[in-house]
Amino acid sequence: MATTMSVSFGLVSVPVLVSPATEDHRVRLHEVHRADAGRIRHRRVCAVDGQEVAYQDVARGVELPDGTTAVLDDAALERLPLPTKHVIEVLGFVPADTVDPISYQRAYYARPAGAGAERPYEVLVAALARTNLVGIAKIAISSRERLAVLRPRYGVLTVQTVFWPDEIRDPGPAPTRPVTDREMELAEMLLPHLQGIDPAAVRDEYAEALDQLVAAVSEGRQLEAPAEPREPPEDLMAVLEASIREARREGRP
């Protein structure tokens, strides 16, 4: 379902319809009773009176310092005094390669909402594509205000939420063992042979393996255990050289 918002940059405001750009195809595993395969149901039960609560009677609540709870229903949340509630507020523009990929979260498509929005929308998308800049914006979505990156994709404006800087964990110290010149030379020879992967051709092997497991369990069969992961090579140089030879035999450029 699309949400009507406006992209605001400078004095320009572009009405857009925002909708999810991705969908999840994961196989859903349900919680069941081991003894009879009955589905496990999680019920909403009030901690005060012990009664089950219908979904339409569920609201949001915030515990106050005195121990009481402020109840926030949908009507109250609609009055949230947040400027970005219906506006994607562009804070500025930066080179696309300055955004760390670890920051990216969920992507949305923003399309022009009405004929009057088409011209400024097209100008914004074209300008971003030509300058290789992305917009850094604030957006209120999924009950939270988030940072977002605006960038063009096949002529359509993509709004991708990103983590706040303080939400990204420090990776800790990097390995300090020095790399030899020969190891670097071999690695640089190998990497070009492994270029040209087509993401569209990559299969979801977990889903396929899960289908095989479900079939085996339903038929009373046992599947062979998967192969153990390979250990790190003791002789890195030999493995790099062998990888280069194998890539050449397979005809990779």
Side-chain angles (χ1 to χ4, degrees):
M1 181 177 178
T3 300
T4 302
M5 306 187 80
S6 291
V7 177
S8 175
F9 60 102
L11 299 178
V12 181
S13 181
V14 185
V16 293
L17 295 174
V18 179
S19 59
T22 59
E23 55 187 358
D24 192 348
H25 287 161
R26 287 181 298 176
V27 177
R28 299 293 181 181
L29 298 176
H30 305 294
E31 290 185 333
V32 298
H33 186 193
R34 189 188 303 272
D36 56 18
R39 287 282 296 273
I40 302 298
R41 302 294 184 187
H42 294 271
R43 293 184 168 87
R44 302 176 184 86
V45 176
C46 176
V48 176
D49 59 19
Q51 299 296 311
E52 187 172 349
V53 180
Y55 181 77
Q56 62 267 23
D57 294 328
V58 176
R60 308 289 180 90
V62 177
E63 186 173 349
L64 302 177
D66 62 1
T68 61
T69 298
V71 178
L72 304 176
D73 56 18
D74 290 342
L77 290 172
E78 276 297 316
R79 298 192 298 272
L80 189 70
L82 184 65
T84 56
K85 191 169 188 302
H86 298 291
V87 177
I88 303 171
E89 178 188 353
V90 179
L91 307 176
F93 298 91
V94 300
D97 59 4
T98 62
V99 181
D100 191 334
I102 198 173
S103 303
Y104 284 115
Q105 293 184 292
R106 191 169 184 188
Y108 299 83
Y109 288 135
R111 301 179 183 276
E118 290 180 357
R119 193 59 183 163
Y121 177 93
E122 291 169 352
V123 169
L124 174 59
V125 172
L128 291 175
R130 180 173 298 184
T131 60
N132 198 32
L133 295 176
V134 296
I136 304 299
K138 289 201 298 185
I139 180 174
I141 201 162
S142 299
S143 303
R144 288 186 61 187
E145 184 176 67
R146 294 187 175 277
L147 278 178
V149 171
L150 275 61
R151 56 186 177 86
R153 184 174 188 271
Y154 302 127
V156 177
L157 187 65
T158 300
V159 180
Q160 194 149 11
T161 57
V162 296
F163 288 105
W164 295 96
D166 62 357
E167 293 179 319
I168 298 175
R169 294 177 176 174
D170 187 332
T176 57
R177 183 176 177 179
V179 177
T180 68
D181 291 341
R182 181 57 178 162
E183 289 171 336
M184 181 62 69
E185 179 184 351
L186 289 173
E188 290 178 346
M189 290 175 60
L190 175 61
L191 295 186
H193 289 292
L194 304 179
Q195 290 180 0
I197 182 67
D198 179 9
V202 179
R203 306 190 328 271
D204 183 353
E205 295 187 53
Y206 177 84
E208 294 176 0
L210 189 57
D211 287 341
Q212 294 176 27
L213 178 61
V214 170
V217 170
S218 64
E219 297 167 6
R221 296 185 288 107
Q222 290 286 340
L223 288 179
E224 293 184 6
E228 292 293 328
R230 289 182 293 185
E231 295 292 330
E234 293 183 6
D235 189 342
L236 177 59
M237 302 275 286
V239 172
L240 286 171
E241 291 172 345
S243 297
I244 293 172
R245 290 194 298 270
E246 181 179 348
R248 286 173 175 168
R249 281 197 303 270
E250 293 178 355
R252 298 189 181 184

